[in-house]
Amino acid sequence: ARPLLLNALSDLRFREHLAACCAELANQSSASLLDLLHAETNALEICTGVPFAPMFPGWDWDMTFLDADSYPSVEELVSSWQNRLQHNETFNVTADEWFGIQDDVETKLYGLRPFRRRGAPRGLAEAIERGPYALLNAVRSDSCSPLYGPIAF
């Protein structure tokens, strides 16, 4: 893969775009740019934002700070599906179409494996295949993703 990456970093159109946005990098060699890319990638952190507590009583869809505080380590961030099951909540797709829509997004758009029943994992073994929403914090923001909550992990 290294030769392909070095080729892409040498491409004239790439270099023109690089000169337009980041003049200080435009004259670096492709090998130097690749080394910089590796260094930046190694410095990325994976993070997510969560609310402190559920927004509504009985609505245990999103993992909260209170949930995370009960886990042994932050490596155990769970998906919304897992969190709901861990709170003994159900997935009534006919009463609340949200679960079906969320499942459709994750399977049809993201290409994740479908549950046996749309919008309703049978248990943790099925739900664990869906990961928590997180991002690579390339801009090194302290707040991570405030869209999902003000507390960052």
Side-chain angles (χ1 to χ4, degrees):
R2 183 177 173 83
L4 293 173
L5 285 170
L6 290 172
N7 236 8
L9 293 172
S10 298
D11 181 76
L12 182 59
R13 282 189 353 186
F14 171 76
R15 289 302 180 139
E16 288 171 355
H17 288 290
L18 191 61
C21 80
C22 315
E24 70 280 4
L25 299 175
N27 292 323
Q28 288 195 22
S29 70
S30 295
S32 294
L33 289 174
L34 186 55
D35 290 342
L36 180 61
L37 179 62
H38 280 149
E40 288 295 317
T41 302
N42 287 335
L44 291 177
E45 64 181 356
I46 298 172
C47 64
T48 191
V50 299
F52 180 77
M55 293 191 326
F56 309 105
W59 179 249
D60 295 303
W61 175 247
D62 296 312
M63 188 181 83
T64 66
F65 175 80
L66 296 175
D67 294 322
D69 195 39
S70 69
Y71 301 145
S73 71
V74 292
E75 281 93 31
E76 296 192 43
L77 297 176
V78 299
S79 72
S80 299
W81 304 101
Q82 290 169 271
N83 193 64
R84 190 160 177 86
L85 286 169
Q86 288 175 336
H87 284 275
N88 298 314
E89 298 285 342
T90 61
F91 297 95
N92 187 345
V93 179
T94 54
D96 188 345
E97 183 57 16
W98 168 252
F99 304 118
I101 293 169
Q102 185 66 26
D103 192 30
D104 287 346
V105 167
E106 292 181 354
T107 57
K108 296 175 182 170
L109 185 64
Y110 302 158
L112 301 177
R113 186 186 329 205
F115 300 133
R116 283 187 182 217
R117 196 177 75 141
R118 179 180 171 261
R122 289 179 306 159
L124 286 174
E126 200 174 38
I128 203 165
E129 294 183 11
R130 307 282 177 95
Y133 285 89
L135 58 86
L136 290 173
N137 191 3
V139 295
R140 300 182 179 128
S141 165
D142 289 338
S143 63
C144 187
S145 178
L147 173 66
Y148 298 110
I151 300 171
F153 288 109

